[in-house]
Amino acid sequence: MASKKIVYLDQNKWVDLLKAEKSGTESPSLTAGAVLRRAVNSGTVVVPLAAGHYLETWHRSNWESRHALARIMRDLSQFSSLAPVQRVQRWEMDLALVEYLGFATGQKGLKAVKDQILGRGVDHAFASATGRLRLVESVAAKGVVEGEEMEPDSKLLDLLEKVRALPNDAYEWWSLAGNENDSMIHDDWETRGQHRIGDSYAEQERALSTHLASTPKKKQKLDDLIAAQDLMEISEDIHEAAEAVGIKPLDVYGRLVEMGGPEAIKGLLCAMPSVAVRYEARRLKHRNLQWPWQQHDHIDLVSLSVAIPYADIVVTERQWAHLCKVAKLDQRFGTRVISRLGELPQLLAD
C-alpha cells in the first residue's frame, strides 16, 4: 500500500463527485471520478478517508443522501484511512527533539512516521479502539460544556469486536454512513459535535482577526502570536515525548531559549510537518481579511495538516490551495495541491 500514490480529497470534493455522478452529464468532475476509480481498481492509487470525512458525512441527517455520498467514499477509498493529526503530531515531536533541538533519542527518522500514516478503517482514522465513538460523562449543550471523557468498559469493547467480525465491512460502513432510516437524532448521542466545535473555533479566530485589525502594531507580531498559540497547543506532546526518552520538559524549553526564543519556536513548529501546515495556513489567512473564518475551517485545517505533508496529490478549496502555494508547502513536501477535480486526470497520468 505504501508504494501507491496517495490522493486526498476534501469533503466538498467528494460531494462534487456525487453531484457529477447524479447528473450523469459529461463534466470534469465526472471524468475525474472515472479516472480515480480505474486507478484505484488497478492498484496504483489510494484515496484515503480522514477522521473529518466520517464526522462531516454524519452531519447529513437524511440517510439516503448520506448513504449516496458514503457509497462513493467506500468504493474509492476501500476504507483506507489516514492517521489523525494528534497521533501524527506526536510522532513528529519525537523527530523534532532530534533533528531540530539536537537531543539524542534514538528515533528512526521521518520514514518511520510516513510508514504509519496510511492504514485501514475508522479505528486507524481516529486512533481509537472505539472508532469514531467518544464516551463522555455528558454531552455538551447550550451554555454547558462537555463532560469528562470516559474509558470504554469491557462490554462495549467486546461488542465492537463482534461487530468488526461481521461480513462485508459492516462495521466500517456503519461508522461512515450510519443505518438506513436513521436521522442521526438520538438522546445522549451527539452526531454533529464538529459543527459546534467548528463554530467555537471560528469565533475565536474572528476575535483574533478583530483584535489585530483594531491594533495594527500587534499585527506586526502576528507570526509570533500564532507561534506562541501553536506552542501551547503542542505542549502536551512536548512533555510526553521528552519524558518518554528521559529528557526533562524544561530542558526542551531551555534549549528553545538558547536557540533564539521566538525564532526558535517557529523553527520547531516548522520542523514538524503537520504543525507547519497549521501554522503557515493560520498566519497567512489572518493576513488576508477578505477570507473570513468559517465553521468548516477547523476540520479543514485538521485534515490538511496530515494530507499536505504526506499525500502525493491534495484536492482542496481554492483558498487553502492558494495559501499552501504562498507558503511553498507544496514545494517543501513534494505534494501537488490543486482546487479543481478536473486537474486530477493529467496529474495521475504524469
Side-chain angles (χ1 to χ4, degrees):
M1 187 177 285
S3 63
K4 297 180 181 181
K5 186 173 289 187
I6 300 175
V7 177
Y8 175 85
L9 305 179
D10 259 357
Q11 182 76 3
N12 65 331
K13 303 305 176 184
W14 286 104
V15 174
D16 286 347
L17 290 178
L18 173 62
K19 290 177 179 177
E21 187 176 281
K22 280 186 172 181
S23 74
T25 58
E26 286 299 320
S27 68
S29 293
L30 188 66
T31 300
V35 171
L36 267 180
R37 195 177 295 269
R38 288 195 296 270
V40 168
N41 291 338
S42 71
T44 60
V45 163
V46 60
V47 190
L49 301 175
H53 293 122
Y54 292 88
L55 298 172
E56 294 277 45
T57 301
W58 270 30
H59 288 159
R60 293 184 166 228
S61 58
N62 181 283
W63 75 267
E64 292 176 310
S65 171
R66 190 171 65 247
H67 279 214
L69 178 61
R71 277 192 290 272
I72 293 179
M73 301 172 90
R74 173 199 63 195
D75 293 346
L76 284 179
S77 73
Q78 299 180 355
F79 294 121
S80 59
S81 60
L82 296 176
V85 67
Q86 68 271 18
R87 179 61 61 88
V88 176
Q89 185 175 286
R90 176 63 180 79
W91 294 333
E92 293 171 345
M93 176 54 68
D94 288 341
L95 296 180
L97 289 177
V98 180
E99 297 180 1
Y100 182 73
L101 295 178
F103 291 104
T105 66
Q107 294 300 318
K108 297 179 181 178
L110 186 59
K111 185 179 184 300
V113 175
K114 290 182 176 179
D115 289 346
Q116 300 175 86
I117 295 294
L118 199 58
R120 189 176 193 276
V122 65
D123 291 357
H124 181 75
F126 286 85
S128 170
T130 57
R132 58 166 300 134
L133 301 178
R134 286 184 65 247
L135 308 177
V136 294
E137 292 179 349
S138 59
V139 175
K142 189 173 182 179
V144 180
V145 299
E146 181 178 273
E148 292 292 323
E149 191 162 356
M150 301 168 59
E151 290 294 323
D153 62 31
S154 58
K155 290 183 179 179
L156 174 61
L157 294 176
D158 290 343
L159 175 62
L160 289 175
E161 195 62 33
K162 292 177 182 176
V163 175
R164 288 189 193 96
L166 293 174
N168 303 317
D169 278 321
Y171 170 70
E172 298 298 341
W173 173 254
W174 174 82
S175 298
L176 179 62
N179 297 318
E180 292 186 5
N181 299 311
D182 188 345
S183 64
M184 294 296 193
I185 305 298
H186 306 282
D187 291 338
D188 300 323
W189 188 12
E190 184 180 39
T191 59
R192 296 173 180 80
Q194 185 56 45
H195 279 181
R196 171 176 54 80
I197 295 170
D199 285 338
S200 175
Y201 178 84
E203 288 172 6
Q204 292 174 10
E205 296 291 13
R206 290 183 201 125
L208 175 57
S209 293
T210 300
H211 178 64
L212 292 170
S214 64
T215 52
K217 288 185 178 180
K218 290 192 175 181
K219 193 168 185 178
Q220 298 173 7
K221 295 289 186 180
L222 171 62
D223 294 359
D224 291 346
L225 177 57
I226 298 294
Q229 289 179 333
D230 278 348
L231 183 64
M232 292 178 62
E233 183 80 15
I234 66 173
S235 61
E236 185 174 336
D237 286 326
I238 292 175
H239 294 182
E240 287 185 3
E243 291 175 350
V245 293
I247 300 170
K248 294 180 180 179
L250 284 178
D251 290 343
V252 175
Y253 297 111
R255 183 70 58 87
L256 288 171
V257 172
E258 292 172 3
M259 294 172 65
E263 293 306 312
I265 291 172
K266 294 173 199 172
L268 173 66
L269 299 176
C270 291
M272 303 171 63
S274 66
V275 180
V277 171
R278 182 178 67 218
Y279 167 71
E280 295 288 2
R282 285 187 67 223
R283 75 177 187 85
L284 289 172
K285 180 159 181 170
H286 273 295
R287 291 187 180 281
N288 190 336
L289 299 180
Q290 301 305 310
W291 283 335
W293 289 89
Q294 307 291 341
Q295 175 269 328
H296 59 79
D297 287 340
H298 176 259
I299 206 160
D300 284 350
L301 276 179
V302 165
S303 300
L304 291 173
S305 292
V306 176
I308 289 174
Y310 298 105
D312 297 287
I313 301 172
V314 171
V315 193
T316 184
E317 291 183 18
R318 185 171 61 179
Q319 68 158 332
W320 298 126
H322 173 73
L323 293 179
C324 175
K325 291 171 184 175
V326 170
K328 298 182 178 179
L329 293 170
D330 56 338
Q331 295 180 30
R332 174 182 170 182
F333 300 119
T335 305
R336 301 299 297 271
V337 183
I338 59 177
S339 59
R340 295 194 298 266
L341 280 167
E343 298 177 54
L344 257 181
Q346 183 58 51
L347 291 182
L348 291 176
D350 290 345

PDB file of all heavy atoms in Angstrom, residues 164-189:
ATOM      1  N   ARG A 164     -16.966  -5.805  14.406  1.00  0.00           N
ATOM      2  CA  ARG A 164     -15.876  -5.776  13.430  1.00  0.00           C
ATOM      3  C   ARG A 164     -15.764  -7.094  12.661  1.00  0.00           C
ATOM      4  O   ARG A 164     -15.285  -7.118  11.530  1.00  0.00           O
ATOM      5  CB  ARG A 164     -14.547  -5.489  14.127  1.00  0.00           C
ATOM      6  CG  ARG A 164     -14.400  -4.067  14.624  1.00  0.00           C
ATOM      7  CD  ARG A 164     -12.975  -3.797  15.096  1.00  0.00           C
ATOM      8  NE  ARG A 164     -12.908  -2.565  15.846  1.00  0.00           N
ATOM      9  CZ  ARG A 164     -12.951  -2.467  17.169  1.00  0.00           C
ATOM     10  NH1 ARG A 164     -13.059  -3.574  17.910  1.00  0.00           N
ATOM     11  NH2 ARG A 164     -12.895  -1.297  17.771  1.00  0.00           N
ATOM     12  N   ALA A 165     -16.184  -8.184  13.301  1.00  0.00           N
ATOM     13  CA  ALA A 165     -16.080  -9.508  12.674  1.00  0.00           C
ATOM     14  C   ALA A 165     -17.216  -9.788  11.698  1.00  0.00           C
ATOM     15  O   ALA A 165     -17.182 -10.797  10.983  1.00  0.00           O
ATOM     16  CB  ALA A 165     -16.054 -10.589  13.759  1.00  0.00           C
ATOM     17  N   LEU A 166     -18.218  -8.915  11.621  1.00  0.00           N
ATOM     18  CA  LEU A 166     -19.332  -9.115  10.696  1.00  0.00           C
ATOM     19  C   LEU A 166     -18.833  -9.024   9.256  1.00  0.00           C
ATOM     20  O   LEU A 166     -17.883  -8.292   8.963  1.00  0.00           O
ATOM     21  CB  LEU A 166     -20.422  -8.073  10.945  1.00  0.00           C
ATOM     22  CG  LEU A 166     -21.161  -8.170  12.280  1.00  0.00           C
ATOM     23  CD1 LEU A 166     -22.111  -6.997  12.444  1.00  0.00           C
ATOM     24  CD2 LEU A 166     -21.912  -9.489  12.397  1.00  0.00           C
ATOM     25  N   PRO A 167     -19.475  -9.740   8.350  1.00  0.00           N
ATOM     26  CA  PRO A 167     -19.017  -9.733   6.948  1.00  0.00           C
ATOM     27  C   PRO A 167     -19.300  -8.414   6.243  1.00  0.00           C
ATOM     28  O   PRO A 167     -20.073  -7.583   6.730  1.00  0.00           O
ATOM     29  CB  PRO A 167     -19.817 -10.885   6.318  1.00  0.00           C
ATOM     30  CG  PRO A 167     -21.049 -10.992   7.170  1.00  0.00           C
ATOM     31  CD  PRO A 167     -20.620 -10.651   8.556  1.00  0.00           C
ATOM     32  N   ASN A 168     -18.656  -8.252   5.082  1.00  0.00           N
ATOM     33  CA  ASN A 168     -18.900  -7.114   4.185  1.00  0.00           C
ATOM     34  C   ASN A 168     -18.572  -5.761   4.805  1.00  0.00           C
ATOM     35  O   ASN A 168     -19.194  -4.749   4.469  1.00  0.00           O
ATOM     36  CB  ASN A 168     -20.361  -7.117   3.702  1.00  0.00           C
ATOM     37  CG  ASN A 168     -20.748  -8.400   3.008  1.00  0.00           C
ATOM     38  OD1 ASN A 168     -19.981  -8.928   2.198  1.00  0.00           O
ATOM     39  ND2 ASN A 168     -21.909  -8.928   3.329  1.00  0.00           N
ATOM     40  N   ASP A 169     -17.591  -5.748   5.691  1.00  0.00           N
ATOM     41  CA  ASP A 169     -17.169  -4.483   6.311  1.00  0.00           C
ATOM     42  C   ASP A 169     -18.338  -3.733   6.933  1.00  0.00           C
ATOM     43  O   ASP A 169     -18.436  -2.502   6.841  1.00  0.00           O
ATOM     44  CB  ASP A 169     -16.471  -3.587   5.288  1.00  0.00           C
ATOM     45  CG  ASP A 169     -15.008  -3.953   5.088  1.00  0.00           C
ATOM     46  OD1 ASP A 169     -14.349  -4.284   6.081  1.00  0.00           O
ATOM     47  OD2 ASP A 169     -14.528  -3.904   3.947  1.00  0.00           O
ATOM     48  N   ALA A 170     -19.229  -4.467   7.585  1.00  0.00           N
ATOM     49  CA  ALA A 170     -20.421  -3.837   8.167  1.00  0.00           C
ATOM     50  C   ALA A 170     -20.058  -2.760   9.198  1.00  0.00           C
ATOM     51  O   ALA A 170     -20.705  -1.709   9.261  1.00  0.00           O
ATOM     52  CB  ALA A 170     -21.301  -4.910   8.815  1.00  0.00           C
ATOM     53  N   TYR A 171     -19.034  -3.016   9.976  1.00  0.00           N
ATOM     54  CA  TYR A 171     -18.598  -2.042  10.989  1.00  0.00           C
ATOM     55  C   TYR A 171     -18.084  -0.772  10.322  1.00  0.00           C
ATOM     56  O   TYR A 171     -18.414   0.345  10.738  1.00  0.00           O
ATOM     57  CB  TYR A 171     -17.514  -2.673  11.861  1.00  0.00           C
ATOM     58  CG  TYR A 171     -16.811  -1.718  12.796  1.00  0.00           C
ATOM     59  CD1 TYR A 171     -17.462  -1.171  13.886  1.00  0.00           C
ATOM     60  CD2 TYR A 171     -15.462  -1.389  12.594  1.00  0.00           C
ATOM     61  CE1 TYR A 171     -16.808  -0.305  14.756  1.00  0.00           C
ATOM     62  CE2 TYR A 171     -14.803  -0.529  13.453  1.00  0.00           C
ATOM     63  CZ  TYR A 171     -15.472   0.021  14.534  1.00  0.00           C
ATOM     64  OH  TYR A 171     -14.824   0.878  15.386  1.00  0.00           O
ATOM     65  N   GLU A 172     -17.285  -0.944   9.267  1.00  0.00           N
ATOM     66  CA  GLU A 172     -16.745   0.217   8.577  1.00  0.00           C
ATOM     67  C   GLU A 172     -17.850   1.019   7.904  1.00  0.00           C
ATOM     68  O   GLU A 172     -17.844   2.255   7.932  1.00  0.00           O
ATOM     69  CB  GLU A 172     -15.697  -0.215   7.543  1.00  0.00           C
ATOM     70  CG  GLU A 172     -14.483  -0.913   8.119  1.00  0.00           C
ATOM     71  CD  GLU A 172     -13.681  -0.036   9.061  1.00  0.00           C
ATOM     72  OE1 GLU A 172     -13.827   1.203   9.007  1.00  0.00           O
ATOM     73  OE2 GLU A 172     -12.904  -0.585   9.866  1.00  0.00           O
ATOM     74  N   TRP A 173     -18.805   0.324   7.306  1.00  0.00           N
ATOM     75  CA  TRP A 173     -19.903   1.014   6.637  1.00  0.00           C
ATOM     76  C   TRP A 173     -20.742   1.795   7.638  1.00  0.00           C
ATOM     77  O   TRP A 173     -21.081   2.954   7.405  1.00  0.00           O
ATOM     78  CB  TRP A 173     -20.767   0.017   5.872  1.00  0.00           C
ATOM     79  CG  TRP A 173     -22.015   0.659   5.301  1.00  0.00           C
ATOM     80  CD1 TRP A 173     -23.287   0.515   5.743  1.00  0.00           C
ATOM     81  CD2 TRP A 173     -22.069   1.563   4.196  1.00  0.00           C
ATOM     82  NE1 TRP A 173     -24.150   1.265   5.000  1.00  0.00           N
ATOM     83  CE2 TRP A 173     -23.422   1.930   4.034  1.00  0.00           C
ATOM     84  CE3 TRP A 173     -21.113   2.106   3.340  1.00  0.00           C
ATOM     85  CZ2 TRP A 173     -23.856   2.810   3.043  1.00  0.00           C
ATOM     86  CZ3 TRP A 173     -21.532   2.986   2.345  1.00  0.00           C
ATOM     87  CH2 TRP A 173     -22.881   3.328   2.204  1.00  0.00           C
ATOM     88  N   TRP A 174     -21.084   1.172   8.758  1.00  0.00           N
ATOM     89  CA  TRP A 174     -21.873   1.890   9.766  1.00  0.00           C
ATOM     90  C   TRP A 174     -21.111   3.103  10.288  1.00  0.00           C
ATOM     91  O   TRP A 174     -21.689   4.172  10.486  1.00  0.00           O
ATOM     92  CB  TRP A 174     -22.212   0.961  10.933  1.00  0.00           C
ATOM     93  CG  TRP A 174     -22.900   1.712  12.043  1.00  0.00           C
ATOM     94  CD1 TRP A 174     -24.226   2.030  12.115  1.00  0.00           C
ATOM     95  CD2 TRP A 174     -22.284   2.276  13.211  1.00  0.00           C
ATOM     96  NE1 TRP A 174     -24.477   2.756  13.264  1.00  0.00           N
ATOM     97  CE2 TRP A 174     -23.306   2.920  13.944  1.00  0.00           C
ATOM     98  CE3 TRP A 174     -20.982   2.289  13.686  1.00  0.00           C
ATOM     99  CZ2 TRP A 174     -23.050   3.565  15.145  1.00  0.00           C
ATOM    100  CZ3 TRP A 174     -20.726   2.944  14.879  1.00  0.00           C
ATOM    101  CH2 TRP A 174     -21.752   3.581  15.605  1.00  0.00           C
ATOM    102  N   SER A 175     -19.807   2.951  10.487  1.00  0.00           N
ATOM    103  CA  SER A 175     -19.004   4.061  11.005  1.00  0.00           C
ATOM    104  C   SER A 175     -19.009   5.248  10.057  1.00  0.00           C
ATOM    105  O   SER A 175     -18.948   6.404  10.490  1.00  0.00           O
ATOM    106  CB  SER A 175     -17.556   3.599  11.236  1.00  0.00           C
ATOM    107  OG  SER A 175     -17.490   2.575  12.203  1.00  0.00           O
ATOM    108  N   LEU A 176     -19.093   4.974   8.766  1.00  0.00           N
ATOM    109  CA  LEU A 176     -19.084   6.043   7.775  1.00  0.00           C
ATOM    110  C   LEU A 176     -20.483   6.557   7.467  1.00  0.00           C
ATOM    111  O   LEU A 176     -20.686   7.769   7.353  1.00  0.00           O
ATOM    112  CB  LEU A 176     -18.434   5.538   6.477  1.00  0.00           C
ATOM    113  CG  LEU A 176     -18.354   6.528   5.307  1.00  0.00           C
ATOM    114  CD1 LEU A 176     -17.508   7.737   5.682  1.00  0.00           C
ATOM    115  CD2 LEU A 176     -17.788   5.837   4.071  1.00  0.00           C
ATOM    116  N   ALA A 177     -21.454   5.636   7.346  1.00  0.00           N
ATOM    117  CA  ALA A 177     -22.767   6.009   6.814  1.00  0.00           C
ATOM    118  C   ALA A 177     -23.915   5.913   7.804  1.00  0.00           C
ATOM    119  O   ALA A 177     -24.989   6.469   7.566  1.00  0.00           O
ATOM    120  CB  ALA A 177     -23.083   5.130   5.602  1.00  0.00           C
ATOM    121  N   GLY A 178     -23.730   5.207   8.908  1.00  0.00           N
ATOM    122  CA  GLY A 178     -24.856   5.003   9.812  1.00  0.00           C
ATOM    123  C   GLY A 178     -25.864   4.024   9.243  1.00  0.00           C
ATOM    124  O   GLY A 178     -25.604   3.342   8.253  1.00  0.00           O
ATOM    125  N   ASN A 179     -27.029   3.947   9.860  1.00  0.00           N
ATOM    126  CA  ASN A 179     -28.049   2.982   9.462  1.00  0.00           C
ATOM    127  C   ASN A 179     -29.057   3.590   8.493  1.00  0.00           C
ATOM    128  O   ASN A 179     -29.201   4.803   8.386  1.00  0.00           O
ATOM    129  CB  ASN A 179     -28.805   2.472  10.693  1.00  0.00           C
ATOM    130  CG  ASN A 179     -27.903   1.719  11.651  1.00  0.00           C
ATOM    131  OD1 ASN A 179     -27.057   0.931  11.225  1.00  0.00           O
ATOM    132  ND2 ASN A 179     -28.067   1.963  12.945  1.00  0.00           N
ATOM    133  N   GLU A 180     -29.784   2.730   7.808  1.00  0.00           N
ATOM    134  CA  GLU A 180     -30.901   3.196   6.991  1.00  0.00           C
ATOM    135  C   GLU A 180     -32.009   3.725   7.897  1.00  0.00           C
ATOM    136  O   GLU A 180     -32.159   3.303   9.061  1.00  0.00           O
ATOM    137  CB  GLU A 180     -31.449   2.044   6.133  1.00  0.00           C
ATOM    138  CG  GLU A 180     -30.499   1.575   5.058  1.00  0.00           C
ATOM    139  CD  GLU A 180     -31.130   0.546   4.139  1.00  0.00           C
ATOM    140  OE1 GLU A 180     -32.347   0.285   4.299  1.00  0.00           O
ATOM    141  OE2 GLU A 180     -30.428   0.002   3.271  1.00  0.00           O
ATOM    142  N   ASN A 181     -32.803   4.650   7.344  1.00  0.00           N
ATOM    143  CA  ASN A 181     -33.939   5.226   8.078  1.00  0.00           C
ATOM    144  C   ASN A 181     -33.524   5.829   9.420  1.00  0.00           C
ATOM    145  O   ASN A 181     -34.294   5.837  10.371  1.00  0.00           O
ATOM    146  CB  ASN A 181     -35.029   4.171   8.309  1.00  0.00           C
ATOM    147  CG  ASN A 181     -35.583   3.630   7.006  1.00  0.00           C
ATOM    148  OD1 ASN A 181     -35.945   4.399   6.114  1.00  0.00           O
ATOM    149  ND2 ASN A 181     -35.617   2.314   6.879  1.00  0.00           N
ATOM    150  N   ASP A 182     -32.303   6.315   9.489  1.00  0.00           N
ATOM    151  CA  ASP A 182     -31.785   6.895  10.728  1.00  0.00           C
ATOM    152  C   ASP A 182     -31.471   8.366  10.466  1.00  0.00           C
ATOM    153  O   ASP A 182     -30.617   8.701   9.646  1.00  0.00           O
ATOM    154  CB  ASP A 182     -30.512   6.150  11.150  1.00  0.00           C
ATOM    155  CG  ASP A 182     -30.026   6.557  12.530  1.00  0.00           C
ATOM    156  OD1 ASP A 182     -30.489   7.597  13.039  1.00  0.00           O
ATOM    157  OD2 ASP A 182     -29.181   5.842  13.095  1.00  0.00           O
ATOM    158  N   SER A 183     -32.162   9.242  11.187  1.00  0.00           N
ATOM    159  CA  SER A 183     -31.942  10.683  11.022  1.00  0.00           C
ATOM    160  C   SER A 183     -30.768  11.184  11.852  1.00  0.00           C
ATOM    161  O   SER A 183     -30.451  12.371  11.824  1.00  0.00           O
ATOM    162  CB  SER A 183     -33.200  11.450  11.443  1.00  0.00           C
ATOM    163  OG  SER A 183     -33.445  11.262  12.839  1.00  0.00           O
ATOM    164  N   MET A 184     -30.127  10.296  12.576  1.00  0.00           N
ATOM    165  CA  MET A 184     -28.974  10.625  13.421  1.00  0.00           C
ATOM    166  C   MET A 184     -29.348  11.574  14.570  1.00  0.00           C
ATOM    167  O   MET A 184     -28.500  12.312  15.064  1.00  0.00           O
ATOM    168  CB  MET A 184     -27.841  11.243  12.602  1.00  0.00           C
ATOM    169  CG  MET A 184     -27.211  10.298  11.600  1.00  0.00           C
ATOM    170  SD  MET A 184     -26.390   8.911  12.406  1.00  0.00           S
ATOM    171  CE  MET A 184     -25.452   8.243  11.050  1.00  0.00           C
ATOM    172  N   ILE A 185     -30.581  11.561  14.968  1.00  0.00           N
ATOM    173  CA  ILE A 185     -31.009  12.356  16.131  1.00  0.00           C
ATOM    174  C   ILE A 185     -31.303  11.381  17.264  1.00  0.00           C
ATOM    175  O   ILE A 185     -32.273  10.633  17.230  1.00  0.00           O
ATOM    176  CB  ILE A 185     -32.261  13.197  15.818  1.00  0.00           C
ATOM    177  CG1 ILE A 185     -32.024  14.073  14.592  1.00  0.00           C
ATOM    178  CG2 ILE A 185     -32.647  14.030  17.027  1.00  0.00           C
ATOM    179  CD1 ILE A 185     -30.915  15.076  14.750  1.00  0.00           C
ATOM    180  N   HIS A 186     -30.447  11.381  18.287  1.00  0.00           N
ATOM    181  CA  HIS A 186     -30.602  10.440  19.392  1.00  0.00           C
ATOM    182  C   HIS A 186     -30.334  11.151  20.707  1.00  0.00           C
ATOM    183  O   HIS A 186     -29.449  12.010  20.801  1.00  0.00           O
ATOM    184  CB  HIS A 186     -29.628   9.260  19.255  1.00  0.00           C
ATOM    185  CG  HIS A 186     -29.711   8.553  17.945  1.00  0.00           C
ATOM    186  ND1 HIS A 186     -30.709   7.659  17.638  1.00  0.00           N
ATOM    187  CD2 HIS A 186     -28.907   8.611  16.841  1.00  0.00           C
ATOM    188  CE1 HIS A 186     -30.518   7.188  16.411  1.00  0.00           C
ATOM    189  NE2 HIS A 186     -29.433   7.759  15.913  1.00  0.00           N
ATOM    190  N   ASP A 187     -31.088  10.813  21.714  1.00  0.00           N
ATOM    191  CA  ASP A 187     -30.833  11.357  23.048  1.00  0.00           C
ATOM    192  C   ASP A 187     -29.478  10.885  23.548  1.00  0.00           C
ATOM    193  O   ASP A 187     -29.100   9.726  23.346  1.00  0.00           O
ATOM    194  CB  ASP A 187     -31.922  10.905  24.032  1.00  0.00           C
ATOM    195  CG  ASP A 187     -33.274  11.533  23.728  1.00  0.00           C
ATOM    196  OD1 ASP A 187     -33.277  12.599  23.066  1.00  0.00           O
ATOM    197  OD2 ASP A 187     -34.307  10.957  24.124  1.00  0.00           O
ATOM    198  N   ASP A 188     -28.765  11.789  24.200  1.00  0.00           N
ATOM    199  CA  ASP A 188     -27.469  11.470  24.803  1.00  0.00           C
ATOM    200  C   ASP A 188     -26.445  10.971  23.792  1.00  0.00           C
ATOM    201  O   ASP A 188     -25.504  10.257  24.132  1.00  0.00           O
ATOM    202  CB  ASP A 188     -27.630  10.415  25.920  1.00  0.00           C
ATOM    203  CG  ASP A 188     -28.541  10.907  27.034  1.00  0.00           C
ATOM    204  OD1 ASP A 188     -28.484  12.111  27.343  1.00  0.00           O
ATOM    205  OD2 ASP A 188     -29.304  10.091  27.572  1.00  0.00           O
ATOM    206  N   TRP A 189     -26.630  11.349  22.525  1.00  0.00           N
ATOM    207  CA  TRP A 189     -25.691  10.926  21.496  1.00  0.00           C
ATOM    208  C   TRP A 189     -25.568  12.065  20.492  1.00  0.00           C
ATOM    209  O   TRP A 189     -26.500  12.352  19.755  1.00  0.00           O
ATOM    210  CB  TRP A 189     -26.215   9.659  20.808  1.00  0.00           C
ATOM    211  CG  TRP A 189     -25.218   9.038  19.866  1.00  0.00           C
ATOM    212  CD1 TRP A 189     -23.894   9.340  19.758  1.00  0.00           C
ATOM    213  CD2 TRP A 189     -25.467   8.012  18.906  1.00  0.00           C
ATOM    214  NE1 TRP A 189     -23.301   8.563  18.797  1.00  0.00           N
ATOM    215  CE2 TRP A 189     -24.243   7.733  18.266  1.00  0.00           C
ATOM    216  CE3 TRP A 189     -26.597   7.289  18.540  1.00  0.00           C
ATOM    217  CZ2 TRP A 189     -24.126   6.779  17.262  1.00  0.00           C
ATOM    218  CZ3 TRP A 189     -26.472   6.338  17.548  1.00  0.00           C
ATOM    219  CH2 TRP A 189     -25.255   6.075  16.918  1.00  0.00           C
TER     220      TRP A 189
END
